[in-house]
Amino acid sequence: MTNRLMEVLKGEEHNYILPFLWQHGEEEQVIREEMARVDEAGISAVCVEARPHPDFLGPKWWTDMDIIMDEARKRGMKVWLLDDDHFPTGHAAGKIHEAPEELHRLFLGERYIDTLGPAKGASFLLDTLLMTGLRPTISYPQHAKGKNQLVSAVAVRRDPSNGTLMSDCVDITEHVQDGILYWDIPEGYWRVFIISANKEGGSKAQEDYLNPLDRASVRILINTVYEAVYERYQADFGKTFAGFFSDEPGFYNDPITFDFNSRPGKPGVSLPWSLEIPALLEQALGEDYRKDLYLLWQNEKERSHTIRYTYMNIVSKLYADNFCNQIGDWCRARGVEYIGHVLEDNNVHARLGPGAGHFFRSLWGQDMSGLDVVLWQIVPGFDQLSFRTTSGETDSLFFHYGLAKLAVSLGHIDPKKQGRTMCELYGAYGWTEGLKLMKWLTDHMLVRGVNYFVPHAFTQKPFLDPDCPPHMYAGGKNPQYRYYKHLNQYMNRISHLISGGRHMATAGVVYHAEAEWSGEAMYFQEPVKELMQHQIDCDILPIDVLLDGASVRDGRLHVHLEDYTCLILPNADALPAALLQRLVRFADQGLAIYFVDGMPKRSSEGIEVAGELLCLASHRNVKKVALNKLSQDLVSNGYFDIQVRSHEPYLRHYHYVHPDLDVFMFFNESPHNTIRTEVVLPVKGAIYAYDAFLNRLRCLNLLDTDLNSVSLTLCPYESIVLLHGNNFDSYAIDPADMEFNQISDLHAKWMVSTADAEHYPHFVEWGQLSTLTNMSSPDYLPYFSGTFRYETQFEWQYLVNHALLDLGKVYETAEVWLNGEHVGVRICPPYHFELNELLKKGLNMLTIEVTNTLVKDKQDFLSSFAQQEPSGLMGPIWISSNK
């Protein structure tokens, strides 16, 4: 038997959970007790967050950190640390404010003046113009006066009939002296663009942040936070102290801090800049590059796209080298790891503003891939339509079909990630979020390959902390906390099974960032959705990796440990020339290449690629296919791993392999509909079902042993792990699919009692119910949060070996006792319990405890964005047996 499965069955799996532990400067005993709460929840690590602490890096901070480290050493726990005093990362604990001006944020901005010629001897007051603050801008010291540094002055002729810009363009930068532009205006209408740089652009909230494009500026964060922690805990580095976490660093160049559409071309918005960029632009565009800088804001068709692509290519690489890679290298040199995530929301991962320009580049220097899900970004059932959250409408297609696959793909293809992808999740959904939704979100991540989790959050602040609930313990007020360990055990067990091996995928889908910078482009998540809804798995591949790190052998594309039978390119007007050249080589080597909804028309750089495009258009291994025909074509050509007998758009799957073990996870993402189908697995021999809640292995009866066809029934919220390997029989119990021939509807009168989290397990009698109902309806207990205890007696007529209790609808955690014996806990549907020998012939005593969430009592703001579920046991209740 494989080591991974053996470790899980013996309870020896690793820890994959590191929840946020918020610090406010509490007393020592409070800190130690919260560490104990994390530990007893089955978690062996914390990620300490300083954001709410009043004395980050001061005496009280170090005292509190010493307590956390002491508790962690005693308990065998790991400690991670968020790397700044503010969210997002980049404030450097306030040290940027006192740093030299050249290390502050720097932006490129554009302002223009409309003129009319002929007019000899004309002049323009540039410094006065630039200091108006309407569109902050700057760059070359020889033209500097005050805070504004001129980069270029360019005059562009306008069409006298409609005012549009024409191709006639004159670089007049050399005519600027002491802040005044002297220019003899030629005949006609002209628009003079003044391109300059200063530190005044960007979002106000991040005005004292570092410049992520400047290596020395980023070094301030390292010197201030990282070096200070290393000095104090050097002996713990790589042992108790595991590493650092960066939270949503980015450019923040847009005055609207979280505008997800911020990119070159947005009027009035300055662009990230550094002193390195001019030389890089000159290298890419030629010595007269200044003449074209105005096209970063103005549209001139293909030339604008070329300039914007070049600019974005440069700044995203500078961010990678100077921010992420520099910090990651510092950590690895000292034996710790660097993790975290950037802002990905609504496609900003490939943009400016709160983004970092390019998802893969922005996280390549880290030791795990990372993402987050907060603020109702992912909601069961809202995979097509948008969902209204605190920050506006979600791009649900991205959040459901793009986000996790994007992050997991990076974990698969970067060797330093070791197949690890971390997700920060659960945060800021409000108190309406309980373990039921948490389990759904967890499965959403696990079935895509996420295998490390940062739950959001444990807080030590006295209840009620309004900061982004729900909170796991909440000072003992969260009634579901006592069941939280069940979710954590489940999470650790499956994470262990999908770590340390290799993911199996059919297709590589090309990441769309460079295409978006170059013109009109299809988002990568559109073909991913088509594939996922037809159970064809894929990874998202950045162009950088296809150019350096990918190879074709035996007609398959190999990237690190992964290999793919085909490569899919979302529709794009333009792609980098080097990629088009590489695609020709891949096709010649036998790789199947699919262009979705058509082929590109040009290169991103403006380089001539007619020959490459012609070759690809006529190549036997290259196809153009409509998006809605993509999966059909792949299947007809044998490009698939598993087969599903019916169309199941909400069935998700993940195939992971170890040397002697195949792991197949399936999850029903529909919040309402049960999936009943047959699945053909690409293995031969016995198949076993692993229950990660009960930590139990069962042998399955196959429908077709030749095809290894398995019957699959998944209720909403239900997942299953199927295993294939050798020597499992001695660890497995009887086949899972037992036949029940006696089914009884349990009609009973119920005595109901209640207990809130503080008084549990001391219940107060409420009354009797003859019909199960919603206990949060107006005539019952609409404001009660806690546990409902249901007690009844019933007669059973048969002697049985196997019996199953089905509670029907439950809101939302359920714990059952039969005849005084504990039966089990369920935190989400289906609410099925094996009664077996506990069910006696004659009179039986049944006790069911159902615990809702705190939202009924604490009606918080974040919960107002979602529909509220009922409370209590609603049934119908059935007992099935094999008499």
Side-chain angles (χ1 to χ4, degrees):
M1 174 179 285
T2 179
N3 288 337
R4 286 276 162 176
L5 181 56
M6 179 70 75
E7 288 164 353
V8 166
L9 292 175
K10 289 184 175 181
E12 297 174 354
E13 68 274 3
H14 302 167
N15 175 70
Y16 298 85
I17 310 171
L18 41 144
F20 284 155
L21 180 65
W22 291 345
Q23 299 301 299
H24 308 87
E26 286 85 2
E27 296 301 314
E28 176 175 348
Q29 189 58 32
V30 174
I31 297 173
R32 291 190 184 276
E33 287 178 357
E34 198 72 12
M35 286 289 286
R37 300 292 81 79
V38 176
D39 191 11
E40 73 183 13
I43 301 171
S44 299
V46 292
C47 190
V48 179
E49 182 171 358
R51 174 175 57 85
H53 199 284
D55 190 33
F56 183 58
L57 301 181
K60 173 59 174 166
W61 166 260
W62 293 119
T63 297
D64 295 350
M65 274 297 295
D66 287 348
I67 295 167
I68 292 170
M69 291 294 292
D70 181 58
E71 281 290 323
R73 294 185 198 103
K74 291 176 180 177
R75 297 175 180 276
M77 300 173 70
K78 301 291 186 183
V79 175
W80 299 78
L81 177 63
L82 270 84
D83 60 358
D84 215 337
D85 63 336
H86 283 189
F87 157 85
T89 291
H91 188 242
K95 293 300 181 181
I96 302 297
H97 180 71
E98 56 196 57
E101 284 285 319
E102 62 268 20
L103 299 183
H104 289 214
R105 295 200 304 174
L106 195 59
F107 300 101
L108 189 73
E110 166 253 13
R111 187 77 169 95
Y112 59 79
I113 308 168
D114 287 326
T115 68
L116 176 63
K120 287 193 174 184
S123 61
F124 304 87
L125 303 177
L126 299 193
D127 276 359
T128 303
L129 173 72
L130 295 173
M131 288 188 290
T132 62
L134 294 177
R135 291 191 181 178
T137 52
I138 76 184
S139 184
Y140 287 113
Q142 66 265 32
H143 300 300
K145 183 176 182 180
K147 295 182 178 180
N148 296 295
Q149 297 174 331
L150 181 68
V151 177
S152 70
V154 177
V156 182
R157 187 181 293 276
R158 301 175 69 195
D159 187 322
S161 65
N162 56 24
T164 58
L165 299 177
M166 303 175 70
S167 59
D168 191 0
C169 175
V170 182
D171 186 347
I172 54 177
T173 309
E174 62 182 15
H175 299 304
V176 178
Q177 296 183 28
D178 297 325
I180 299 175
L181 169 62
Y182 301 93
W183 183 43
D184 293 336
I185 306 172
E187 181 180 357
Y189 293 92
W190 297 82
R191 180 161 286 175
V192 177
F193 290 94
I194 312 301
I195 311 298
S196 61
N198 64 29
K199 61 170 288 187
E200 303 304 322
S203 57
K204 186 69 175 175
Q206 284 76 39
E207 67 177 342
D208 287 327
Y209 269 51
L210 57 78
N211 184 351
L213 303 179
D214 188 295
R215 191 170 188 84
S217 183
V218 175
R219 186 72 205 192
I220 296 173
L221 173 65
I222 295 175
N223 291 341
T224 302
V225 179
Y226 288 69
E227 293 283 3
V229 175
Y230 181 61
E231 181 179 354
R232 193 172 188 94
Y233 301 119
Q234 180 176 351
D236 291 294
F237 266 45
K239 299 172 185 175
T240 300
F241 191 88
F244 295 88
F245 184 115
S246 282
D247 197 11
E248 298 187 3
F251 292 123
Y252 294 95
N253 61 292
D254 197 318
I256 304 173
T257 302
F258 294 106
D259 189 330
F260 305 137
N261 288 309
S262 186
R263 49 188 136 178
K266 185 178 179 182
V269 174
S270 300
L271 304 179
W273 194 251
S274 79
L275 298 180
E276 284 187 78
I277 294 178
L280 295 171
L281 284 171
E282 183 173 349
Q283 180 181 343
L285 297 172
E287 59 183 14
D288 62 346
Y289 75 91
R290 297 180 191 85
K291 188 176 178 181
D292 288 329
L293 288 180
Y294 77 98
L295 295 174
L296 290 170
W297 291 269
Q298 305 298 320
N299 290 318
E300 194 181 290
K301 299 181 180 177
E302 293 181 9
R303 186 60 181 162
S304 293
H305 293 313
T306 297
I307 300 303
R308 294 171 188 180
Y309 163 81
T310 303
Y311 167 81
M312 289 296 297
N313 196 38
I314 288 171
V315 297
S316 59
K317 288 180 178 179
L318 285 176
Y319 179 98
D321 292 340
N322 295 328
F323 187 85
C324 189
N325 293 353
Q326 181 181 188
I327 296 174
D329 290 343
W330 183 97
C331 289
R332 286 182 286 274
R334 289 156 183 80
V336 295
E337 294 189 313
Y338 178 45
I339 65 174
H341 70 97
V342 294
L343 202 69
E344 318 94 350
D345 303 25
N346 287 17
N347 309 296
V348 77
H349 56 83
R351 299 172 184 166
L352 304 174
H358 188 289
F359 181 84
F360 290 89
R361 292 174 182 174
S362 67
L363 293 181
W364 197 264
Q366 295 192 348
D367 293 289
M368 297 183 193
S369 184
L371 71 153
D372 84 335
V373 176
V374 295
L375 292 167
W376 294 104
Q377 291 168 339
I378 294 180
V379 180
F382 279 87
D383 62 314
Q384 310 267 10
L385 299 180
S386 64
F387 187 86
R388 179 73 168 89
T389 72
T390 58
S391 54
E393 301 284 331
T394 61
D395 179 346
S396 293
L397 185 67
F398 167 70
F399 282 118
H400 282 255
Y401 294 98
L403 176 57
K405 290 299 294 183
L406 184 65
V408 166
S409 300
L410 174 57
H412 290 158
I413 65 176
D414 178 9
K416 77 172 73 63
K417 305 290 191 291
Q418 302 174 53
R420 300 177 299 173
T421 298
M422 173 278 302
C423 179
E424 171 195 331
L425 77 172
Y426 309 147
Y429 272 64
W431 283 115
T432 194
E433 180 187 26
L435 293 175
K436 176 185 172 185
L437 178 54
M438 288 182 180
K439 194 268 186 181
W440 190 97
L441 291 169
T442 300
D443 279 342
H444 176 99
M445 295 298 157
L446 287 168
V447 81
R448 288 161 173 80
V450 174
N451 50 9
Y452 279 79
F453 294 88
V454 179
H456 188 312
F458 279 84
T459 179
Q460 295 158 189
K461 191 172 184 178
F463 189 80
L464 179 70
D465 185 351
D467 191 349
C468 297
H471 307 127
M472 304 313 174
Y473 181 60
K477 304 297 195 300
N478 185 346
Q480 291 191 356
Y481 168 74
R482 66 182 180 275
Y483 300 120
Y484 180 44
K485 63 185 177 183
H486 295 276
L487 176 62
N488 294 328
Q489 290 169 345
Y490 172 88
M491 194 184 309
N492 272 330
R493 289 164 181 162
I494 296 184
S495 294
H496 197 64
L497 292 175
I498 61 171
S499 298
R502 185 168 73 91
H503 162 239
M504 300 293 290
T506 297
V509 177
V510 176
Y511 181 50
H512 71 248
E514 289 88 340
E516 180 177 286
W517 305 339
S518 308
E520 293 298 317
M522 176 186 288
Y523 294 142
F524 77 84
Q525 58 262 29
E526 294 194 47
V528 170
K529 173 190 172 184
E530 168 71 11
L531 297 179
M532 290 179 69
Q533 290 194 344
H534 292 84
Q535 292 76 49
I536 300 174
D537 202 3
C538 64
D539 275 331
I540 317 307
L541 301 179
I543 292 173
D544 293 344
V545 166
L546 293 174
L547 297 179
D548 183 14
S551 62
V552 174
R553 300 192 299 273
D554 300 323
R556 301 176 72 92
L557 179 66
H558 292 258
V559 179
H560 185 39
L561 301 179
E562 303 283 318
D563 66 82
Y564 316 94
T565 56
C566 60
L567 183 65
I568 297 167
L569 291 102
N571 186 250
D573 280 353
L575 291 170
L579 175 64
L580 295 172
Q581 294 160 5
R582 184 58 54 92
L583 293 176
V584 171
R585 184 192 304 179
F586 285 166
D588 287 343
Q589 293 171 331
L591 179 65
I593 297 174
Y594 286 84
F595 285 93
V596 179
D597 285 352
M599 296 184 61
K601 306 175 185 67
R602 53 185 171 82
S603 74
S604 303
E605 308 92 334
I607 298 172
E608 181 56 53
V609 289
E612 287 84 354
L613 292 175
L614 182 61
C615 181
L616 289 169
S618 59
H619 203 289
R620 67 185 183 281
N621 292 325
V622 176
K623 280 189 176 183
K624 293 178 284 186
V625 61
L627 178 62
N628 63 358
K629 300 295 184 183
L630 176 60
S631 294
Q632 177 183 325
D633 196 287
L634 294 181
V635 171
S636 66
N637 283 281
Y639 301 145
F640 57 84
D641 184 43
I642 70 165
Q643 293 176 274
V644 180
R645 295 299 193 192
S646 55
H647 178 50
E648 301 292 347
Y650 285 101
L651 178 63
R652 304 287 169 259
H653 85 287
Y654 188 69
H655 183 189
Y656 199 80
V657 299
H658 300 276
D660 53 355
L661 175 69
D662 281 76
V663 180
F664 300 90
M665 182 178 181
F666 294 91
F667 174 46
N668 179 3
E669 283 196 347
S670 170
H672 302 299
N673 299 321
T674 296
I675 291 174
R676 294 180 177 87
T677 190
E678 296 178 19
V679 177
V680 178
L681 303 179
V683 292
K684 293 293 184 182
I687 302 295
Y688 297 80
Y690 173 67
D691 187 325
F693 279 110
L694 299 179
N695 197 24
R696 189 175 65 185
L697 198 64
R698 285 185 182 271
C699 183
L700 288 182
N701 291 325
L702 300 180
L703 296 175
D704 186 328
T705 55
D706 292 332
L707 292 175
N708 261 27
S709 179
V710 177
S711 177
L712 204 62
T713 300
L714 294 175
C715 297
Y717 290 81
E718 188 175 10
S719 61
I720 190 171
V721 174
L722 303 182
L723 303 177
H724 173 265
N726 298 318
N727 304 317
F728 290 1
D729 287 344
S730 59
Y731 297 90
I733 60 177
D734 294 335
D737 38 349
M738 296 175 290
E739 292 186 5
F740 296 108
N741 50 30
Q742 180 64 44
I743 301 176
S744 299
D745 186 355
L746 186 62
H747 289 290
K749 291 185 177 180
W750 300 88
M751 181 57 65
V752 181
S753 305
T754 62
D756 62 23
E758 287 183 280
H759 297 97
Y760 184 90
H762 302 292
F763 284 82
V764 175
E765 185 176 304
W766 174 80
Q768 193 174 71
L769 285 176
S770 56
T771 302
L772 295 172
T773 189
N774 173 19
M775 294 299 293
S776 289
S777 60
D779 296 333
Y780 291 84
L781 297 171
Y783 303 109
F784 174 77
S785 289
T787 301
F788 303 90
R789 174 178 283 176
Y790 297 80
E791 297 173 289
T792 195
Q793 301 179 18
F794 66 94
E795 290 282 346
W796 188 255
Q797 302 178 26
Y798 314 102
L799 289 173
V800 299
N801 295 319
H802 298 291
L804 186 72
L805 173 67
D806 182 348
L807 299 185
K809 293 183 179 179
V810 178
Y811 300 96
E812 55 179 45
T813 64
E815 188 168 11
V816 174
W817 292 261
L818 184 63
N819 299 318
E821 297 292 331
H822 189 256
V823 175
V825 171
R826 296 291 181 271
I827 64 173
C828 71
Y831 294 94
H832 296 169
F833 297 81
E834 293 180 15
L835 301 179
N836 298 340
E837 70 279 357
L838 297 179
L839 182 60
K840 300 176 181 179
K841 184 177 180 180
L843 187 65
N844 288 265
M845 305 287 295
L846 179 62
T847 301
I848 303 170
E849 290 183 3
V850 176
T851 304
N852 65 1
T853 71
L854 265 174
V855 73
K856 305 303 180 183
D857 182 38
K858 307 299 178 186
Q859 299 173 359
D860 62 291
F861 168 73
L862 291 167
S863 295
S864 66
F865 287 87
Q867 62 201 57
Q868 306 302 304
E869 291 191 322
S871 292
L873 178 63
M874 297 180 65
I877 298 176
W878 296 83
I879 295 179
S880 307
S881 68
N882 60 340
K883 71 173 182 178

